[in-house]
Amino acid sequence: MGFAENCLFCKIAAGQLPSKMLYQDQDIVAFADIHPQAQQHVLIIPRRHIPSMADLTMEDGPLLAHIFVTAQKIAQDLHIDQTGYRMVTNAGLHSGQAVFHLHFHLLGGEQLGPFGRTGG
Ligand code: AMP
Ligand code: ZN
């Protein structure tokens, strides 16, 4: 079922590594980021091992809708839906992607900074 043996997030999704799980169903899992970059920082991932958004196809449309609609629900649960939030996904070297299992960062709970290039 698309499990990658050496993948951290496959293991978290399978419950083989601990996490602070916020939501799970048959297809997706959401858990707290271990190094939060905002007051609220949640990672939402498909259970299926997809390395990054660079590997998505049109057939993944329903999966992506599922992830985004679940993000709305998580934002409501965390009471950040009224104050606003951001969804971000990194792909490849320049983005700084560190874990090569597709994940969406849901960030909020405080005013977020601008994004783009790092200083200098
Ligand atoms: P990225 O740079 O987009 O690949 O993001 C990877 C994210 O995974 C970072 O924000 C890390 O803090 C987070 N992370 C790494 N290991 C874990 C873990 N065991 N549990 C929760 N989050 C993690
Ligand atoms: Zn994986």
Side-chain angles (χ1 to χ4, degrees):
M1 198 202 83
F3 185 92
E5 215 49 65
N6 55 359
C7 173
L8 185 67
F9 286 179
C10 279
K11 287 183 182 153
I12 286 178
Q16 293 174 7
L17 281 177
S19 70
K20 190 183 163 200
M21 197 69 81
L22 298 172
Y23 176 86
Q24 57 178 317
D25 63 29
Q26 201 182 309
D27 298 312
I28 70 176
V29 170
F31 52 96
D33 195 292
I34 205 166
H35 292 127
Q37 301 298 316
Q39 203 72 257
Q40 299 291 355
H41 187 170
V42 177
L43 299 175
I44 309 176
I45 69 170
R47 286 188 187 275
R48 176 159 60 95
H49 183 80
I50 302 170
S52 83
M53 67 171 282
D55 303 286
L56 289 166
T57 69
M58 288 302 284
E59 266 144 50
D60 296 312
L63 173 67
L64 291 174
H66 186 170
I67 286 172
F68 274 80
V69 171
T70 301
Q72 294 173 0
K73 295 199 186 105
I74 293 170
Q76 287 163 13
D77 292 347
L78 297 175
H79 306 294
I80 60 172
D81 55 313
Q82 298 300 313
T83 43
Y85 48 86
R86 179 181 292 160
M87 277 269 274
V88 186
T89 191
N90 291 318
L93 183 64
H94 277 177
S95 75
Q97 183 182 6
V99 178
F100 288 84
H101 178 127
L102 178 66
H103 53 281
F104 292 84
H105 300 257
L106 174 63
L107 300 152
E110 63 184 306
Q111 185 63 50
L112 301 173
F115 51 79
R117 127 179 343 122
T118 51

